[in-house]
Amino acid sequence: MTSYKNSDPRPPIMAGSPPPPEWRVPRAAWDSPPWNRWTFMNVRQVLPTVNVPRGPMPVAPLTGADRGIGAIEFTAVDGTQWRVDRMLDETYTDGFLMVMDGEVIHESYHNGMRPDSLHLSQSVAKSVVSTVTGILIGQGLMDVNAPVTAYLPELAATAWNGATIQHLLDMASGVKFDETYTSPDSDIAKTDVACGWKPMPDAFVGAPDWPRSMWDQILSMKQTDAAHGARFEYRSIETDVLAHAMERASGRRLAQLVSDELWSKIGAEHDACFTVDSAGYALADGGFNASLRDYARFGLLHLNGGLLDGQQIIPAAWIDDIRRGPHGLFNASGRELYPNGVYRNQFWVEDASRQTVLAAGVFGQLIYIAPEYNMVVVKMSTWPDFLDNTHKTNTLRAIHAVARALGKT
């Protein structure tokens, strides 16, 4: 079995006491299909984690009524007419929530996900972390124009020497890093081992250049393939360098930072968590887990300019910079999905002429923040493949179709 849709019979992954061997999650393939359909909602049973407390703040209410969006039609990539309900099934949805004009217009759970399930966000984590960077900048603890070495002097001996915090935020340093997810010895494959997600592949056991922690990998990056600030190239490790700088600037570990400055202030309903490596480092580039509604609360905070109940949690200038900042750096790969898009502050800007931004992660994780529609959409998924532009495009087309059907332009 490669995977299964929500409309298919659900296999008994990790079911039973104990589960039979054939349905136990393989440690080296926990994020691969069909296993990811279970593991992304049960990360704490697979990997070590650190808690991100929600704090004592009352839960911010999310109210509304279902508007029957499942019947809304749109033209799918293959040219046929789909309903939103079909998109949810075809794109391996675990949870889907839409908030428009402050009201929940759809909320559904699939594949065993529940309202209290913590779902792995993959690279949505990057946007959560960068939001806290913006808060620290607003507090004067960090400076986007400062060199990375101002916070991490050890990096003077690495390829990040001369890069700034803004370069990291925009994935615009010149550091050479291979993000090929399917290559067994790419830099991102080494990240899987360094962060504790995967065991060392048998073929590389004993290899001296495989890092044992994320900090080890950061220190090992010595080559550049461009001048700092000359190009956009998506490289997950940029977020981890940023997070280490945040920890040094604040004197707090990342999970505590995210709790103190963000999660405890948004009216979250549940604690969140990060996966951690052997040094206790919370994986900034993809290890964040939270519930569907709490992802929506994060999106709504951005939609509302960083304000909640009169408190400016995220600096308005930071949100404005994401939506309208000095954009321009992008590449051909990014334009396949967003022809007029850009990347800013660890968010994807759908169209540089508008203000909609996305926090997005592999296997179909998405927080869609659309001021033009006064709407936030959260979709947690478990695609069979890391990347699937057809699934992503059909999701975006469905979102736009809902907005049009409900009178938004």
Side-chain angles (χ1 to χ4, degrees):
M1 174 186 289
T2 55
S3 196
Y4 59 95
K5 296 177 183 176
N6 297 331
S7 56
D8 296 328
R10 227 172 116 201
I13 297 172
M14 295 298 284
S17 180
E22 65 271 23
W23 291 113
R24 297 176 194 172
V25 173
R27 180 69 178 82
W30 67 268
D31 61 347
S32 300
W35 314 109
N36 63 351
R37 299 232 68 194
W38 184 87
T39 56
F40 280 20
M41 291 175 282
N42 293 279
V43 164
R44 286 189 138 160
Q45 296 187 54
V46 181
L47 300 173
T49 62
V50 61
N51 210 45
V52 179
R54 62 166 297 277
M57 182 177 175
V59 174
L62 288 176
T63 59
D66 191 276
R67 298 282 295 274
I69 67 159
I72 294 173
E73 293 189 345
F74 66 97
T75 303
V77 170
D78 65 4
T80 64
Q81 290 299 111
W82 283 19
R83 291 161 48 117
V84 171
D85 281 341
R86 179 176 177 184
M87 180 277 293
L88 295 179
D89 186 48
E90 295 281 349
T91 60
Y92 298 85
T93 305
D94 297 323
F96 191 64
L97 192 151
M98 302 186 79
V99 182
M100 183 179 287
D101 297 329
E103 296 290 314
V104 176
I105 62 170
H106 176 90
E107 181 177 5
S108 61
Y109 298 89
H110 313 268
N111 186 39
M113 189 172 180
R114 305 182 309 272
D116 62 347
S117 298
L118 303 189
H119 197 290
L120 183 65
S121 70
Q122 297 285 358
S123 289
V124 168
K126 294 178 171 70
S127 303
V128 172
V129 170
S130 78
T131 296
V132 179
T133 309
I135 294 170
L136 296 182
I137 290 167
Q139 294 173 352
L141 291 178
M142 296 185 75
D143 179 355
V144 293
N145 298 312
V148 177
T149 50
Y151 306 98
L152 302 168
E154 301 95 322
L155 298 197
T158 72
W160 278 286
N161 190 39
T164 67
I165 295 298
Q166 190 66 65
H167 291 148
L168 298 178
L169 286 163
D170 292 344
M171 299 273 184
S173 85
V175 176
K176 182 179 180 181
F177 184 90
D178 181 4
E179 187 97 0
T180 305
Y181 300 116
T182 55
S183 175
D185 60 348
S186 65
D187 290 314
I188 196 67
K190 293 177 181 178
T191 295
D192 276 347
V193 173
C195 75
W197 278 24
K198 299 287 183 67
M200 181 79 75
D202 291 342
F204 302 103
V205 170
D209 59 340
W210 280 70
R212 268 53 177 184
S213 71
M214 287 306 300
W215 183 241
D216 289 346
Q217 187 174 29
I218 289 167
L219 292 178
S220 75
M221 308 308 296
K222 304 289 189 180
Q223 297 182 41
T224 59
D225 54 9
H228 297 314
R231 58 99 162 100
F232 164 80
E233 190 69 34
Y234 191 85
R235 289 147 300 140
S236 289
I237 201 167
E238 299 269 82
T239 316
D240 296 302
V241 177
L242 177 67
H244 277 87
M246 293 163 62
E247 290 190 345
R248 292 282 184 91
S250 67
R252 288 170 283 173
R253 301 307 297 268
L254 183 63
Q256 191 63 51
L257 263 178
V258 172
S259 174
D260 290 347
E261 305 297 346
L262 184 65
W263 217 246
S264 66
K265 297 181 179 181
I266 68 171
E269 189 169 355
H270 304 104
D271 290 353
C273 71
F274 277 101
T275 66
V276 292
D277 71 4
S278 61
Y281 165 72
L283 185 65
D285 74 58
F288 188 72
N289 301 258
S291 65
L292 187 70
R293 283 189 152 220
D294 285 345
Y295 284 126
R297 291 179 174 98
F298 169 77
L300 286 166
L301 185 63
H302 270 270
L303 181 70
N304 296 326
L307 273 169
L308 179 63
D309 295 335
Q311 182 182 4
Q312 192 73 48
I313 298 169
I314 309 168
W318 178 256
I319 292 177
D320 188 65
D321 186 68
I322 297 169
R323 297 177 183 176
R324 305 185 188 88
H327 302 141
L329 294 177
F330 215 39
N331 59 13
S333 175
R335 291 189 187 95
E336 289 180 14
L337 274 171
Y338 314 116
N340 194 38
V342 290
Y343 192 83
R344 183 66 170 177
N345 294 342
Q346 308 266 310
F347 282 82
W348 301 88
V349 180
E350 185 178 34
D351 183 333
S353 69
R354 295 164 69 88
Q355 297 181 44
T356 293
V357 302
L358 299 83
V362 292
F363 295 106
Q365 320 320 316
L366 176 68
I367 303 177
Y368 185 89
I369 305 164
E372 289 84 5
Y373 298 151
N374 197 23
M375 178 173 72
V376 167
V377 181
V378 181
K379 187 176 189 295
M380 295 288 112
S381 315
T382 33
W383 296 345
D385 300 302
F386 288 95
L387 303 173
D388 191 314
N389 281 358
T390 296
H391 287 341
K392 175 67 76 66
T393 301
N394 283 333
T395 298
L396 294 175
R397 288 186 182 186
I399 290 170
H400 287 292
V402 171
R404 288 193 301 270
L406 297 183
K408 302 291 183 176
T409 58

